[in-house]
Amino acid sequence: MKKKRKRKNLLMYVLAIFFLILFLIPVVWGLMVSLRPREYIEAFPPVIFAPVSFEHYLGIIERYPLDFYLLNSLTSVGLATLLSVFLGTMAGYSLARFQVGGKNLLFWILSLRILPPAAVIVPLYIIFRQISLIDSITSLVLAYTLLTLPLTIWLMRSFFLTIPTEIEEAAKIDGCSFYKVLTKVSLPLAAGGMMVSMVFCFIFAWNDYIFALILATSRNHTITIGISRLITIDKIDWGQLLAGAYIAAAPIFAFTVAVQKYILRGLTFGFVR
Amino acid sequence: MTKKGSIRKKVSPLHLLRKPQYLMIMPSLIFLILIVVFPLVFLFRTSLYDLTFMNFRVGAPYIGLRNFIDLITVDTRFWTAIQNTFLFVALGVSGQFFLGLAMAIVFNRVLKHGSFISLLMFPSMVAPIVVGLLWRYILNSDFGIISQLLMMWGYSRQAWLADPSVAVYVLLLIDLWQWTPFMFLILLAGLQAMPQDVIEAAEMDGAGSVLRLFRIILPVIKPVVFVALSFRVMDAFKIFDIIAVLTGGGPGSATMTLSLKAMVDGFTYFRLSYASAVSVLMVILVTIFSSVFLRVLYKEMGTEA
């Protein structure tokens, strides 16, 4: 019996390593290729180890205004996150504590997550164009808020549902007005939930491609659009393409690792009602 | 809970606003109505005309349901798009689920915590466009590693993405690679939250691992499974970035999906009304499917979710 258990554990270890390799090898390989000189990329037969060269990274930084793109991403996504969490927290609170609108309203709001961006983007484009909002950070902020608000409301509602009402009741009995209860008691307790919501909003909005593609066509490119332009019609510079991909990936991945605690919490706590 | 009738008798809408709970939800509702409901109504209206880039300023003629009729009867790409979209939703999500579950079980045994797990999140957490670019390189028929390995071993160069019968499945695999870590993370968290004594008791009672899996583990993590599945299904419908970057819907229209078709018709061919019709049908399809799916899932799961 013990031998069986040992063999099973060994199998598990092997599988674990297998999975790690399966998912990480493409990432590692791409990174390695982005750091090798051009001749080695185009060499055949392929080489595993090549001298390290930063030429692609330097080249792409020179060629494209990546700092401008990153700044646009940061601004639009940051503002949208703040707006989304602000609106979502308030809505989540009324839904959690007072069941405003009952089951129907709740269901309608949550079902908005089903909406594909591609469906709403055509009318948004037409409307924004009429009011000359196209190509502005504002249009992106509105679009990203739209993208994330149903999720934020859902998350904040779940979080408020887990906070017992006794504390709020006690504060009310002590004579606090509604808003005082809210700001002094409820919000601080939900601060963790707000962090989770902000993390998710940020990630989803940052990674967006479709809204930025249509609503920020020529001037205010975000980083996702910026790197997509590396797919040129004529011969693609693979080194630069990969370098660009990793430059775009690095911030959000680092962010993800840094806040993984919140991501985990959100996925389990906030989602499971 | 007071009945709707009694509220209507006493309170006028403006009076409702005095109550803070209504006041708090108002901004969100106003925003959603302005940015979602209004555009959707506009979308439907646009689909009944023939708006293209050319008559954008001048005004478009009303053509009624012609766009829809064309889509359903004449446009074969539309049906391909529906087919492909459902491939990603049904096949894609199930694949991600089973693989993610396998991984979660393995890692629950082996490495419960640690940074390895956050590294695994890379495919799911970075922008889909990054995933697309990376795989575009790897699958390139001249310089990608797969093609080069094949050529080294004497086979012809790999051009799977240019092969209409295979391209979709290649994209499905990439989709699998991208989203399985996400499923894995949720399922792992669910497994870790499971009380160990139940499993140990079952082990001691001599229950085999397969039995343990189905009778004990799965029922306990049902709510987590529900969340993971519904999340991914809702997102799978929207798939766009990967396909746009890797094949653009091609070869021909073999890898076209609904979102892609709406975008291509609208912004490459600038047939805005036609794209609106695609979008309307897409929204209807998604709504019907999602409500059916969620209801079935909800019943299966038997939880309050």
Side-chain angles (χ1 to χ4, degrees):
Chain A
M1 189 65 176
K2 209 166 189 191
K3 207 176 190 185
K4 202 172 166 199
R5 164 83 63 96
K6 259 196 169 170
R7 257 205 311 188
K8 198 162 194 210
N9 270 348
L10 182 65
L11 174 68
M12 291 294 181
Y13 268 101
V14 168
L15 277 176
I17 296 185
F18 169 71
F19 284 130
L20 270 174
I21 293 180
L22 190 71
F23 285 98
L24 289 180
I25 275 222
V27 178
V28 171
W29 174 248
L31 189 62
M32 279 171 62
V33 172
S34 73
L35 287 170
R36 60 172 57 167
R38 188 194 215 141
E39 314 85 61
Y40 287 87
I41 299 182
E42 306 187 346
F44 179 78
V47 288
I48 300 185
F49 293 108
V52 172
S53 158
F54 290 99
E55 66 193 61
H56 303 294
Y57 287 91
L58 295 173
I60 198 178
I61 293 177
E62 242 185 69
R63 202 170 137 196
Y64 295 97
L66 290 180
D67 49 349
F68 179 59
Y69 296 156
L70 282 170
L71 193 67
N72 283 333
S73 280
L74 197 64
T75 327
S76 49
V77 172
L79 287 174
T81 302
L82 290 174
L83 183 62
S84 183
V85 174
F86 175 65
L87 293 177
T89 305
M90 295 204 300
Y93 188 73
S94 19
L95 286 172
R97 292 281 179 257
F98 300 96
Q99 289 98 40
V100 172
K103 256 196 174 155
N104 289 321
L105 183 64
L106 177 67
F107 193 70
W108 179 76
I109 292 181
L110 297 185
S111 68
L112 283 178
R113 284 210 47 234
I114 294 172
L115 190 68
V120 78
I121 207 173
V122 173
L124 274 186
Y125 173 76
I126 299 175
I127 296 173
F128 281 175
R129 227 186 123 142
Q130 307 283 38
I131 57 180
S132 43
L133 212 53
I134 285 285
D135 250 352
S136 64
I137 296 283
T138 316
S139 63
L140 286 179
V141 172
L142 291 175
Y144 291 154
T145 308
L146 154 66
L147 191 67
T148 55
L149 189 59
L151 181 67
T152 312
I153 296 181
W154 182 16
L155 280 174
M156 290 314 297
R157 174 176 176 271
S158 298
F159 275 105
F160 278 123
L161 282 177
T162 64
I163 298 178
T165 53
E166 284 83 44
I167 309 180
E168 292 171 4
E169 304 273 331
K172 229 197 296 186
I173 293 177
D174 281 346
C176 289
S177 73
F178 177 87
Y179 291 106
K180 210 159 184 194
V181 173
L182 187 65
T183 51
K184 290 281 162 75
V185 177
S186 320
L187 283 186
L189 284 175
M194 286 171 74
M195 283 301 296
V196 171
S197 302
M198 283 204 261
V199 164
F200 276 99
C201 275
F202 197 85
I203 294 179
F204 283 125
W206 182 279
N207 289 344
D208 166 79
Y209 175 67
I210 199 168
F211 281 118
L213 180 68
I214 301 301
L215 297 177
T217 33
S218 56
R219 279 192 325 228
N220 290 314
H221 285 284
T222 57
I223 189 69
T224 49
I225 302 300
I227 58 168
S228 73
R229 294 172 74 210
L230 285 162
I231 300 196
T232 49
I233 308 202
D234 27 276
K235 190 155 186 271
I236 299 179
D237 187 332
W238 296 106
Q240 280 196 354
L241 183 123
L242 288 170
Y246 283 94
I247 291 181
I252 199 68
F253 186 58
F255 178 72
T256 309
V257 173
V259 299
Q260 56 176 302
K261 168 176 78 163
Y262 290 106
I263 295 180
L264 212 59
R265 197 172 157 207
L267 287 176
T268 55
F269 200 28
F271 282 48
V272 181
R273 249 211 270 151
Chain B
M1 198 97 175
T2 50
K3 291 220 202 94
K4 234 176 173 196
S6 59
I7 294 182
R8 218 183 292 142
K9 250 191 275 171
K10 284 189 155 184
V11 179
S12 81
L14 274 173
H15 191 235
L16 269 181
L17 274 183
R18 295 254 206 92
K19 299 197 177 202
Q21 60 263 38
Y22 289 95
L23 194 63
M24 282 180 72
I25 202 172
M26 265 312 147
S28 293
L29 284 183
I30 295 177
F31 180 85
L32 288 175
I33 292 177
L34 278 181
I35 305 281
V36 177
V37 177
F38 181 57
L40 280 181
V41 171
F42 191 75
L43 176 79
F44 187 64
R45 185 176 174 277
T46 313
S47 67
L48 297 175
Y49 287 70
D50 185 24
L51 180 70
T52 64
F53 195 50
M54 301 210 273
N55 54 24
F56 197 78
R57 299 228 177 263
V58 183
Y62 177 82
I63 57 170
L65 294 176
R66 173 94 86 70
N67 283 326
F68 294 96
I69 298 175
D70 281 345
L71 263 179
I72 299 180
T73 54
V74 176
D75 200 342
T76 50
R77 298 207 274 192
F78 181 63
W79 294 105
T80 312
I82 295 186
Q83 202 176 314
N84 285 334
T85 308
F86 272 98
L87 260 181
F88 280 99
V89 170
L91 208 60
V93 177
S94 0
Q96 291 153 28
F97 174 70
F98 288 116
L99 189 59
L101 186 62
M103 284 174 68
I105 293 176
V106 167
F107 278 90
N108 193 33
R109 207 51 109 83
V110 171
L111 253 182
K112 285 183 191 265
H113 310 281
S115 319
F116 291 103
I117 300 190
S118 57
L119 282 181
L120 274 174
M121 291 304 292
F122 186 95
S124 304
M125 287 299 167
V126 295
I129 191 106
V130 169
V131 174
L133 290 178
L134 178 64
W135 282 96
R136 178 133 182 184
Y137 166 70
I138 294 179
L139 290 174
N140 180 255
S141 34
D142 293 314
F143 302 112
I145 187 70
I146 298 184
S147 190
Q148 290 192 329
L149 285 175
L150 283 176
M151 288 199 281
M152 261 173 57
W153 297 332
Y155 297 96
S156 54
R157 51 159 52 86
Q158 166 260 322
W160 295 329
L161 286 178
D163 182 350
S165 44
V166 185
V168 170
Y169 297 101
V170 175
L171 289 177
L172 268 171
L173 281 176
I174 298 179
D175 187 55
L176 187 77
W177 181 84
Q178 184 186 6
W179 289 110
T180 301
F182 179 76
M183 279 280 204
F184 155 67
L185 198 67
I186 297 185
L187 293 172
L188 180 68
L191 283 180
Q192 285 177 342
M194 207 165 47
Q196 274 300 108
D197 36 356
V198 179
I199 308 180
E200 278 165 16
E203 257 178 38
M204 290 209 291
D205 281 346
S209 25
V210 176
L211 187 71
R212 278 212 312 273
L213 175 66
F214 282 102
R215 286 297 178 77
I216 300 180
I217 298 182
L218 278 184
V220 171
I221 59 172
K222 255 189 193 171
V224 177
V225 169
F226 176 80
V227 163
L229 281 180
S230 51
F231 206 86
R232 274 306 305 150
V233 162
M234 289 197 278
D235 273 358
F237 266 109
K238 311 173 186 169
I239 191 163
F240 175 77
D241 305 25
I242 300 278
I243 306 181
V245 148
L246 281 166
T247 61
S253 58
T255 57
M256 189 72 83
T257 58
L258 282 172
S259 285
L260 198 64
K261 179 154 177 59
M263 292 291 286
V264 165
D265 281 340
F267 298 104
T268 309
Y269 300 132
F270 275 109
R271 301 175 62 190
L272 291 167
S273 279
Y274 197 65
S276 301
V278 175
S279 295
V280 168
L281 289 178
M282 174 168 52
V283 169
I284 294 177
L285 266 169
V286 161
T287 310
I288 295 179
F289 182 81
S290 296
S291 29
V292 168
F293 176 76
L294 286 177
R295 194 162 303 171
V296 167
L297 203 62
Y298 178 56
K299 229 186 252 170
E300 276 296 309
M301 298 289 137
T303 52
E304 256 253 336

